[in-house]
Amino acid sequence: MRIRTAGVIAASLLCLVGVAACGDKKEDSTTAGPQASAATGELVIWADDKRSAALKPFAEKFGKENGVTVKVQAISKDQQTTFLTASQQGSGPDVMVGAHDWIGNLVQNGAIDPVQLTAEQKSGIAANAIKAVTFNGQTYGVPYATENLGLIRNTELAPAAPATIEDLVKEGKKLKAAKKVSEILCLQVGQNGDAYHSYPLYSSAGGYLFGTNAQGDYDPKDLGVGKPESIAAFKKLAALGEKGDGALKRSISDQNSIATFTGKKCAYLVSGPWAVTDVKKANLKYDITAVPGFAGGKTATPFLGVQTFYVAAKGKNKALAQEFVTNYVTTPDLAVALYNAEPRPPALTAALDQVKGSDPDLEKWVTAGENAVPLPAIPAMAAIWDPFGKAESAVIGGADPEKTITAAGKTISSQIK
């Protein structure tokens, strides 16, 4: 599941312990003969546990073909912090695998280089994924998978997909009255809120986080939180909250939202591809559609997240790193292997075409994310998570929407400045 931890990005350079203490490392290496040299012919790749295992055979192949040593190291937690700390110390990798919304912070700290993708290579990758890894007019990563929220529905309890959030609430109330469920909707809020999961409804109600400039990039100077649009949006969230319809509740959190759904205590779950494994284990009959918006409102737009390969600016073998990410990561075989390690829609069109026939959910996630917008990768986004989330939770609990979101806007604005 996905929940953004407040301050992680902003504090990422404050890790004062060594790299080994920031995250456990497990290492696989392959040596391609006596000509390999740690100083001149070694490529070091960092990824999480699942992706490290999937990368190993391709690292071996790359090593043999290029006469180099390739080391794939698993960083189990705090990947961005660990990478930035190691980069500053000169002990980081040549290639880092991580989320696209790291880009602004990594660029600001001089930790990554632009990647050298050809126009043909870019055309083979989903356009919204390329947009997500573009920062200040340059491409800073090679995307390999995308993710977005959708509405997962228990089709035995709710056969038809709701056209609007009002339709969902109406049907959820009927099911609750009939004692078939105990919750109208499973959308994680918790005591600290969750801007990521609430954003589709916030955007449908007219709210926005940042405006865009003439080039279409997010503009930190145009903060939407605290403006009239956000006040109107939070009033709608309040109407769905504990003092209103009771569809949004602080008791539903990242710890129990999926389990509540798989336990058949609610018919609707707002979540992403990471929830499907648990849903399948529960043997539920389900369907996946877009998160519905408010009647008469804008289309509900979830955030698009993109998993990405980065070239480390302070790596010891940047030429090898560029070769690997541009000519190996862009091959369908590797993209499919990464999909098999953790099933999320491949960003590479050829890989998506190859696997979607065996997984009907893939096309549904892509359709659910047709209107998704890239999660802002600008450094100012770090100021959003905590104040916005706490404001959301407070309003859902009954706090005054106008006062609460106005105060949150002032807090965010002061942090950005």
Side-chain angles (χ1 to χ4, degrees):
M1 68 188 71
R2 286 289 178 272
I3 183 167
R4 303 282 163 173
T5 303
V8 166
I9 296 176
S12 58
L13 278 176
L14 299 180
C15 181
L16 300 178
V17 294
V19 173
C22 291
D24 296 333
K25 292 194 291 184
K26 303 169 189 174
E27 181 178 307
D28 288 305
S29 68
T30 84
T31 304
Q35 72 273 31
S37 163
T40 60
E42 180 176 276
L43 183 71
V44 179
I45 303 170
W46 282 6
D48 66 14
D49 297 285
K50 288 183 179 179
R51 292 168 182 84
S52 293
L55 282 169
K56 183 181 178 182
F58 295 90
E60 291 176 347
K61 181 182 177 184
F62 182 84
K64 290 176 182 177
E65 291 180 358
N66 291 275
V68 295
T69 301
V70 182
K71 293 181 178 179
V72 179
Q73 298 175 335
I75 308 299
S76 300
K77 59 183 180 180
D78 300 329
Q79 287 94 352
Q80 184 183 179
T81 302
T82 304
F83 173 57
L84 274 171
T85 303
S87 177
Q88 297 298 325
Q89 294 174 349
S91 58
D94 301 292
V95 175
M96 182 72 210
V97 184
H100 87 272
D101 58 306
W102 298 1
I103 289 178
N105 193 38
L106 297 184
V107 171
Q108 189 177 56
N109 285 287
I112 55 172
D113 281 343
V115 296
Q116 299 161 6
L117 288 172
T118 66
E120 183 179 359
Q121 287 172 326
K122 286 183 180 180
S123 69
I125 299 171
N128 56 2
I130 289 293
K131 181 178 180 181
V133 298
T134 301
F135 185 77
N136 290 340
Q138 297 195 77
T139 306
Y140 274 97
V142 177
Y144 72 87
T146 63
E147 62 186 24
N148 53 264
L149 294 175
L151 181 71
I152 306 175
R153 188 178 82 257
N154 182 327
T155 54
E156 290 184 330
L157 293 170
T164 65
I165 194 66
E166 288 86 352
D167 290 342
L168 183 154
V169 170
K170 182 179 179 181
E171 186 61 31
K173 284 183 174 181
K174 286 181 182 179
L175 291 168
K176 189 174 180 180
K179 300 189 184 302
K180 292 183 178 180
V181 300
S182 59
E183 304 293 345
I184 295 170
L185 169 66
C186 286
L187 186 155
Q188 64 187 60
V189 178
Q191 296 304 311
N192 292 315
D194 190 316
Y196 182 80
H197 281 80
S198 65
Y199 187 77
L201 296 179
Y202 175 75
S203 65
S204 175
Y208 72 99
L209 298 183
F210 298 105
T212 55
N213 58 26
Q215 290 74 41
D217 298 326
Y218 287 113
D219 182 1
K221 296 178 181 178
D222 183 4
L223 176 66
V225 183
K227 290 187 176 177
E229 296 92 338
S230 69
I231 295 170
F234 264 61
K235 287 180 178 179
K236 284 186 172 290
L237 292 180
L240 293 175
E242 295 167 17
K243 299 293 179 68
D245 290 317
L248 298 178
K249 298 169 68 174
R250 290 169 293 177
S251 59
I252 302 296
S253 70
D254 63 305
Q255 298 299 310
N256 64 10
S257 62
I258 295 173
T260 303
F261 178 77
T262 57
K264 299 183 180 180
K265 295 178 181 178
C266 64
Y268 305 99
L269 170 68
V270 173
S271 193
W274 52 87
V276 172
T277 299
D278 287 346
V279 173
K280 288 181 175 178
K281 284 180 181 177
N283 293 316
L284 295 184
K285 292 183 179 179
Y286 68 95
D287 197 9
I288 301 162
T289 52
V291 178
F294 289 98
K298 296 182 178 181
T299 300
T301 54
F303 283 128
L304 177 76
V306 178
Q307 294 296 315
T308 303
F309 281 77
Y310 295 112
V311 172
K314 298 179 182 179
K316 295 179 174 62
N317 268 302
K318 295 201 284 185
L320 276 174
Q322 287 283 352
E323 172 68 17
F324 183 81
V325 301
T326 58
N327 293 323
Y328 268 66
V329 175
T330 53
T331 60
D333 287 349
L334 176 52
V336 170
L338 290 167
Y339 160 80
N340 288 332
E342 192 171 36
R344 300 182 188 192
L348 194 68
T349 306
L352 178 62
D353 291 341
Q354 190 172 324
V355 299
K356 67 183 181 183
S358 61
D359 185 354
D361 288 349
L362 275 181
E363 198 69 44
K364 293 177 181 179
W365 283 117
V366 172
T367 301
E370 281 180 343
N371 296 303
V373 295
L375 183 63
I378 56 177
M381 188 63 192
I384 292 283
W385 298 115
D386 185 60
F388 186 102
K390 288 179 177 175
E392 173 212 349
S393 179
V395 166
I396 285 170
D400 180 80
E402 183 170 356
K403 290 181 180 178
T404 304
I405 196 59
T406 299
K410 290 179 180 178
T411 299
I412 294 166
S413 181
S414 67
Q415 291 179 7
I416 292 174
K417 291 178 181 178

